[in-house]
Amino acid sequence: MVEPVRFGLVGYGFGGRYFHAPLLAAARECDLIAVATSSTERRALLSREHPGATAVGSLAELAAAGVEAVAISTPADTHTALTDQALDLGLAVVCDKPFALDAPAARSSVERAERLSLPLAPYQNRRWDSDFRTVQALAEAGTLGRITRLESRFERFTPDPGPAPSGGGTLLDFGSHLVDQALVLLGPVTSVYAEWRVRANGLDDDVFVALTHAGGARSHLAGSWSEGAPGDRFRVTGTAGSYVVGGPMDGQEEALVAGETPATRGPDWGAEPEERWGRVRRGDHEDRVPTLPGAWDTFYPAFAAAVRGQGLVPVDPRDAVASLTVLDAARRSATEGVVVRLD
């Protein structure tokens, strides 16, 4: 067995605690040896939940502790500076979404990693959601025919307090996943139209983005913290039928927050109960479709293999540049009330 990659984690807030630390700890290809956090409360949580990991105060201290790679899970406006600092320290980097605040910053970090020959990947874990994996499988099998429209939603009803400042607003936070999935499924985008609602605190809490893809398909994407009647998670329309799956969203987040991990759940990790399965509809005819298991637990083993020179990173960092180019266009569209054309 290849020696596990020595990982450090930057940040132990919600994302670091639930989306990164448990999956790093569960991956035999990774060894979580240290976490950078200055919070006394979070250091106490770390000592209880991951007693083998040392608490340190900075990226430099992580490097001094002997880590080879870091996962960055901090407020959005710190991502670029921390990514670049980690790369300059000679560390492979996984950075949570949004990978950067805009496309030029993302492109600069990607080029830095390429110059330094270091693995870099955005943490687009939602590519391995159970429902999106099922959408991809149906598309690849041709079950829906040629896909003409993707409708995708991240909607919830928590208007108070609404989006946390650490996420950078709904367009950057939810939009990073919504746009990434649309690009993975339907390819490059030629035009962007967006609408949003911005609160008095400057954060957008409700967004709609319409994309026209180069292949002719369209994506209608919605993200909201104040939707009292959340819509279906996906409705994917093709020339031979449509796939519809409702909420709640993929259950891996729920399991991790409840303290379960791939190690404790075992082979049932990511499985969805039958009542959450979607259906393929053709007029009055309807077929239930078993939902493929979610697979967030595959990200870190794949990244560790890339660090060891045994494969590619699980998400190409230039995909983050592509997503942020679309999100930049959506911000301009929502602000100016225009359709933005992309090359």
Side-chain angles (χ1 to χ4, degrees):
M1 178 175 160
V2 175
E3 179 184 1
V5 172
R6 300 185 301 279
F7 257 93
L9 174 60
V10 186
Y12 203 66
F14 184 86
R17 184 183 179 193
Y18 293 116
F19 285 3
H20 294 277
L23 296 175
L24 282 165
R28 64 178 185 173
E29 298 86 353
C30 303
D31 185 7
L32 178 61
I33 68 171
V35 176
T37 178
S38 58
S39 166
T40 301
E41 178 184 357
R42 290 173 182 175
R43 286 186 173 211
L45 287 171
L46 175 67
S47 67
R48 290 199 302 270
E49 296 166 352
H50 300 279
T54 302
V56 301
S58 68
L59 257 174
E61 291 180 55
L62 284 177
V67 306
E68 304 169 84
V70 293
I72 296 171
S73 184
T74 56
D77 60 2
T78 68
H79 286 179
T80 294
L82 289 171
T83 294
D84 291 352
Q85 182 185 353
L87 292 169
D88 288 343
L89 287 168
L91 305 175
V93 178
V94 172
C95 184
D96 217 335
K97 55 80 189 169
F99 181 77
L101 296 184
D102 55 40
R107 186 177 296 107
S108 176
S109 293
V110 171
E111 291 172 351
R112 183 184 299 261
E114 291 173 348
R115 287 195 306 270
L116 296 170
S117 298
L118 288 167
L120 171 65
Y123 189 62
Q124 288 291 359
N125 59 317
R126 296 281 178 187
R127 291 189 182 188
W128 291 274
D129 276 6
S130 56
D131 44 26
F132 185 63
R133 293 190 68 221
T134 306
V135 168
Q136 286 183 292
L138 291 171
E140 291 168 3
T143 304
L144 305 178
R146 178 176 56 83
I147 293 177
T148 57
R149 186 174 67 246
L150 166 69
E151 297 173 39
S152 176
R153 300 173 182 85
F154 276 24
E155 295 176 332
R156 59 186 61 177
F157 186 63
T158 53
D160 187 16
S166 60
T170 306
L171 180 65
L172 275 176
D173 188 9
F174 293 170
S176 291
H177 287 312
L178 292 165
V179 169
D180 179 73
Q181 290 180 337
L183 295 180
V184 168
L185 187 68
L186 297 174
V189 167
T190 58
S191 71
V192 181
Y193 169 77
E195 302 169 356
W196 66 2
R197 181 176 59 219
V198 180
R199 292 188 169 203
N201 63 3
L203 295 174
D204 54 293
D205 74 340
D206 187 273
V207 300
F208 169 76
V209 181
L211 308 178
T212 301
H213 295 266
R218 298 179 185 270
S219 291
H220 292 171
L221 314 175
S224 182
W225 289 79
S226 52
E227 175 53 71
D232 290 326
R233 174 65 187 91
F234 285 109
R235 183 170 71 165
V236 186
T237 301
T239 55
S242 297
Y243 173 70
V244 181
V245 61
M249 291 179 62
D250 175 280
Q252 292 173 97
E253 176 178 347
E254 179 184 345
L256 289 167
V257 171
E260 296 185 73
T261 71
T264 59
R265 179 78 71 90
D268 290 334
W269 177 258
E272 298 287 354
E274 187 170 347
E275 59 266 24
R276 292 191 184 186
W277 291 359
R279 55 205 185 276
V280 171
R281 298 188 58 181
R282 300 175 178 88
D284 294 333
H285 183 77
E286 176 178 293
D287 293 312
R288 298 284 285 181
V289 177
T291 300
L292 294 176
W296 291 4
D297 55 320
T298 62
F299 182 95
Y300 276 114
F303 188 81
V307 173
R308 292 285 179 252
Q310 298 182 344
L312 300 175
V313 292
V315 179
D316 189 325
R318 290 200 173 269
D319 290 355
V321 179
S323 292
L324 281 158
T325 298
V326 173
L327 292 169
D328 289 351
R331 185 183 302 108
R332 179 188 162 199
S333 175
T335 302
E336 300 178 10
V338 298
V339 174
V340 178
R341 307 291 177 184
L342 299 178
D343 292 334

